[in-house]
Amino acid sequence: MKESTNVCNESIFNKVYTDFGKPVWRFIYFKCGDKDQADDLVQEAFIKLWQNCAKVPLEKAKSFLYTVANNTFLNEVAHKKVVLKHARLQPHKVNDQSPEFLLEEKQYLKKLENALANLGEAQRTAFLLNRIEGKKYREIAEILGISVKAVEKRMSQALASLRLEIENI
């Protein structure tokens, strides 16, 4: 890769930021409606671009930024849904269950959160879109811009990884 078009070159990276920072921010702001969250998501996208600058050619930098910002937003939404769903269910269980059950449940949820965090971004996104948001593989493929076969593979890998990490279920 020529040094003059390498995203790792500070002046090229600054130009990418100047050219795409605002458009990516507007795209994410329209999705989330929160200026601070949009700032954080765009910053995260540019951090990931910098971390992967040797792998991302200049002509794909724009697409990379939009994809990372969108996927990070979707991960946050899925995580919030899990938290809200768990919070809604929790009050009904507290008085009905034994302390041993509550302790086991807490340990299981911690194990599940760690297992989900250890999944790759692609696998976690596909898994959460399917299992939390109830999206069909076809819908996930459209959202992520990949084939249905790719979604099937990501789900298969995610489930295999989760089975290995969360034992005794």
Side-chain angles (χ1 to χ4, degrees), residues 77-87 113 116 128 132:
V77 168
H79 176 71
K80 286 177 185 175
K81 284 187 176 187
V82 169
V83 170
L84 288 173
K85 185 175 182 181
H86 182 69
E113 285 176 1
L116 287 172
L128 293 175
I132 302 303

Side-chain angles (χ1 to χ4, degrees), residues 32-94:
C32 69
D34 180 345
K35 290 179 181 180
D36 292 333
Q37 185 181 17
D39 289 342
D40 292 345
L41 292 169
V42 171
Q43 182 178 10
E44 183 68 28
F46 275 96
I47 288 170
K48 286 192 179 178
L49 176 61
W50 184 252
Q51 290 169 340
N52 294 289
C53 66
K55 300 175 197 168
V56 180
L58 178 60
E59 57 274 5
K60 298 202 178 197
K62 178 180 178 181
S63 171
F64 180 88
L65 290 167
Y66 277 92
T67 301
V68 169
N70 189 50
N71 288 347
T72 306
F73 170 71
L74 291 173
N75 287 344
E76 284 184 11
V77 168
H79 176 71
K80 286 177 185 175
K81 284 187 176 187
V82 169
V83 170
L84 288 173
K85 185 175 182 181
H86 182 69
R88 272 197 312 257
L89 298 175
Q90 198 61 28
H92 302 297
K93 293 182 182 179
V94 173

